[in-house]
Amino acid sequence: MFSDIEIGVFIDELEEKIQVINDGLLALERDEGNPDIIQEIFRAAHTVKGSSGIMGYENMASLTHEMENLFDKIRHGEIHVTSDMINVLFEALDTLKALKDEVTGEGPAVDTTAVVDKIRSFVQGDPVVTPEQPKPVVVQPAGAAIDWIEIGDVEENVIREAELRGFQAYRIAVDIAQDCQMKNVRAFLIFETLQQVGEIIKSSPAAEDIQEGKYDTGFQLVLITKEDTDRIKNLVITISEVTDARVEPIVLPSQEAAETPAKVKEASAARAETREVKNGTAETAEKKAVKTVRVDVNKLDNLMNLVGELVIDRTRLNRFAEIFESRFGSDDLVEAVNEISNHLGQVTGDLQEQIMKARMLPVAQLFNRFPRMVRDTAQKLGKEIDFVVEGKETELDRNVIEVIGDPLIHLIRNAIDHGIETPQERVAAGKSPTGTLLLKASYAESHIVITVQDDGRGMDVNKIKNKAVELGFMDREAVDRLSDREALNLIFRPGFSTKNNEVSDLSGRGVGMDVVNTAIEQINGTVELDTKLGSGTRFTIRLPLTLAIIRALMITLGNQVYAFPLTNVSETIRITDQDIRRVGNNEVIVVRDRILPLVRLGRLFNCPDYQEDTKMFVVIIGSGEKRVAVVVDKLLGEQEIVIKSLGDYLGQVPGLSGACILGDGKVALIVDVRGLVKNLAVEEATYAAG
Amino acid sequence: MTSINQTLQEEQVVVFQLMEQVYGIDINSVFEIIRMESITKLPRTPDFVEGVINLRGRIIPVIDLGLRFGLGQSERTQASRIIIVEVSGQKIGMIVDSVQEVLRIPTASIEPPPPVVNGVDATYLRGIAILEDKLVILLDQDKILYEKEKELLQQANIGGDQAWEV
């Protein structure tokens, strides 16, 4: 039996080699005879064959053995690379990924015979290419066939939400002894035990039935927790009369996984190229083996908290030094204390930064998934695409990377599907037949910027306006008043689509631009859209480097400090009573021809020491294209804050999204801008009508 | 259900005072006891939620135990304390009038609680320890939090739209 560490090392190496083969195949598609690439893939397959053989993963070993054989023949010029062969090799690569998931327990058992036969047929020189390429067949391991509990849409949303907060969902099948006398008590104990470590979100049969003992010889649960498989299993198995418990992590299909392998278009001229533009150093850095240690993210969070305490102590030391100085005047001792305090400040600042960096991963993790997707999508739609990737070495917090995966997939698919025209159309429009799709990551101040840009047909503002009227979002008059930018932002509204024909199976999928927008806003990011009819579209996504730290505008209500995430603050203004109008029961103000609902935060939050004044500071906050004006007492300025949750006990406090700790150790509350805006921003049209 | 405590000879409880009454809470669930400090109020939360404090970099919710039990709010004095309890991984502060001592209570002296003790619903109680010189009401910290959590969640659920009415 191999230890977890050995398996971990093996998986790391396997992932690396899968990436090598993936990049190699993409390169080979463009340059079919390149001996260096062939050699590289051969070596990668050979390495995996060896290590998987040692580990005893026979399916993996036999699959990579066939791949190695094939590339050996290609190396020696006995066989030539064809596009059919490349398609089969991609299928083999998918199977290899599925085998990896099988090893890590993230996926079911995989049958490799079909794909091995296909490769073998190339090796023997009689390619059998089936037009339909079935997905790797899923085989349940013998003796463990479980008809697992279904995960519905509702649960899926809950799970995705929980995953963002670092939880993992598991399916648990519990078997109770046949002769169990008190099934209800057993069930109660199991529920009770699991609720200590997490939350049960679904069960089969229904929870009430289980708790009343109305089940056969077992039942299934879906649990959201931070514990791992073994621990959950142990918790359940130690309850008496439980004969068996099987625990399996739930891996939600990313949108990509739902994709069936693309059909091969015979003799299609479609192809997608991927080019990478790197900084000179990144190349060598990638080649160097990185020495790594796996660390639980919670440990890093704890370190972060400790640093937070240091910062507070440093503030106290500072104050102490001031008192010292006022009492004894300035002398060497006072100087020394000041010096210590300053140095401590520097060190804690650096320490904070280093720990933050420890949570960061190169965005390559995510970007490496795209070339293949672009290739398949382009092939399917008969488009020629030159896919350019820049800035893969840019680093982002791992949680951010997890969240932006799906929105990026959507934007890229959209660009290929709606943005870039077919080669014929492009030539007719006087462009080169091959469209360019750029995916770029870069740093900008304390943000990271990800750009998805195509040189396709662009978006027609008038078309969008017409569609908005047609869908009943706004009346013609309101639409005509919109600026081009405001009109473009309509596409981020739920239910908006300008595609008149039936939805192609690529985009759509129930993920509209509104979902892209929501996902990005969730992590305090913003998304902007620029487009020019006939020459292309660019989406610019700005993200904080980390979820834990944001820039915020600090304000006061009475003597309590509140923070507004700066990404949601569009401006601050001063108004007087004279500026406030009333529409029905609501107060509004007009800012540059826009009517904004006015919210007196002190009133909303029932602040005991809140005073109304004739002159007021107003913070204009927004989410999506909605804006709300919020009256506050004082503006304190901007500051970087570390976001902390209010904890499960309080749950969701209306109007707040979390808290942070100020330099003096006091707690400031973070305003839930999205919630406020969602609940208080009234469509402008209703005012216009009123 | 046999609780593990009944198999032991005695248990240790932290004894504190609230509204002239003596209560006890299992020492194993007490994380620490701190003096009153400035508590950040939270808008739109039930009245027994006093607010949050910063406990060495962690945000900890604090509840007023008197209000929690529906006994009203007691005066804050020099002796007032916040008992930080940890229940299923969550730390929560409870404001009490004073903390007196740690007592060893023989398990045999613990009686099941009557339905209501001094206005406190038995749901929150584990029992009553009758000692030579005093009577200690033993709290069930799991219940205090769990029941509250349910209430809070209910409020959050019905609060969907109402919570926003100004």
Side-chain angles (χ1 to χ4, degrees), chain A residues 309 560 604 644 649 665 679, chain B residues 40 44 54 56-57 90 148:
Chain A
E309 285 178 53
Q560 167 67 44
L604 184 73
K644 298 190 182 272
Y649 172 71
N679 285 283
Chain B
T40 302
R44 300 171 164 265
N54 164 19
R56 292 189 303 282
Q90 296 188 63
K148 257 198 314 287

Side-chain angles (χ1 to χ4, degrees), chain A residues 234-309:
Chain A
N234 287 336
L235 281 173
V236 178
I237 214 95
T238 46
I239 294 168
S240 63
E241 292 190 312
V242 171
T243 52
D244 192 13
R246 278 155 302 175
V247 180
E248 174 178 286
I250 294 175
V251 182
L252 292 174
S254 68
Q255 294 190 291
E256 229 182 338
E259 195 71 10
T260 50
K263 278 191 199 170
V264 182
K265 280 220 177 68
E266 289 297 320
S268 120
R271 59 204 177 86
E273 297 202 354
T274 305
R275 283 191 287 129
E276 281 182 26
V277 185
K278 286 196 193 129
N279 298 349
T281 53
E283 182 89 55
T284 45
E286 269 194 340
K287 292 274 185 246
K288 254 195 305 195
V290 193
K291 285 198 173 124
T292 53
V293 186
R294 283 167 186 252
V295 180
D296 185 347
V297 180
N298 288 333
K299 284 189 182 156
L300 296 175
D301 287 344
N302 290 339
L303 283 174
M304 207 68 189
N305 285 337
L306 292 168
V307 173
E309 285 178 53

Side-chain angles (χ1 to χ4, degrees), chain A residues 62-301:
Chain A
S62 67
L63 174 67
T64 43
H65 175 67
E66 286 305 331
M67 288 169 82
E68 181 193 15
N69 277 349
L70 180 59
F71 277 95
D72 195 35
K73 294 224 168 192
I74 298 171
R75 256 189 342 165
H76 294 107
E78 294 169 38
I79 300 179
H80 288 293
V81 178
T82 62
S83 62
D84 286 341
M85 189 186 290
I86 297 225
N87 282 320
V88 169
L89 284 165
F90 270 125
E91 194 188 332
L93 185 69
D94 288 340
T95 313
L96 193 57
K97 285 181 193 164
L99 285 166
K100 183 198 83 178
D101 290 344
E102 182 187 346
V103 171
T104 54
E106 290 166 18
V110 179
D111 182 1
T112 55
T113 44
V115 70
V116 166
D117 286 346
K118 279 187 206 169
I119 303 176
R120 202 170 285 157
S121 68
F122 282 116
V123 176
Q124 290 156 355
D126 55 343
V128 183
V129 176
T130 43
E132 285 285 341
Q133 298 180 358
K135 278 164 95 170
V137 183
V138 172
V139 187
Q140 286 288 2
I146 301 184
D147 189 3
W148 278 114
I149 186 169
E150 286 277 320
I151 305 290
D153 288 350
V154 177
E155 291 86 26
E156 192 173 311
N157 285 335
V158 174
I159 294 171
R160 283 190 199 279
E161 195 74 16
E163 281 176 350
L164 290 177
R165 300 203 308 263
F167 288 84
Q168 167 70 43
Y170 296 90
R171 291 188 178 92
I172 304 170
V174 187
D175 292 341
I176 307 286
Q178 290 275 9
D179 53 359
C180 174
Q181 292 300 311
M182 298 174 71
K183 285 165 132 185
N184 54 344
V185 175
R186 289 298 143 236
F188 176 78
L189 274 178
I190 292 165
F191 270 65
E192 201 59 4
T193 309
L194 290 174
Q195 273 161 345
Q196 297 283 330
V197 298
E199 198 180 337
I200 295 170
I201 58 165
K202 188 172 186 182
S203 67
S204 156
E208 294 79 21
D209 291 346
I210 297 177
Q211 301 256 27
E212 288 171 14
K214 293 179 189 160
Y215 57 89
D216 191 23
T217 58
F219 51 83
Q220 290 189 24
L221 305 169
V222 176
L223 177 79
I224 292 180
T225 177
K226 288 195 174 176
E227 301 292 346
D228 60 18
T229 315
D230 293 344
R231 167 123 167 88
I232 301 168
K233 190 173 166 128
N234 287 336
L235 281 173
V236 178
I237 214 95
T238 46
I239 294 168
S240 63
E241 292 190 312
V242 171
T243 52
D244 192 13
R246 278 155 302 175
V247 180
E248 174 178 286
I250 294 175
V251 182
L252 292 174
S254 68
Q255 294 190 291
E256 229 182 338
E259 195 71 10
T260 50
K263 278 191 199 170
V264 182
K265 280 220 177 68
E266 289 297 320
S268 120
R271 59 204 177 86
E273 297 202 354
T274 305
R275 283 191 287 129
E276 281 182 26
V277 185
K278 286 196 193 129
N279 298 349
T281 53
E283 182 89 55
T284 45
E286 269 194 340
K287 292 274 185 246
K288 254 195 305 195
V290 193
K291 285 198 173 124
T292 53
V293 186
R294 283 167 186 252
V295 180
D296 185 347
V297 180
N298 288 333
K299 284 189 182 156
L300 296 175
D301 287 344

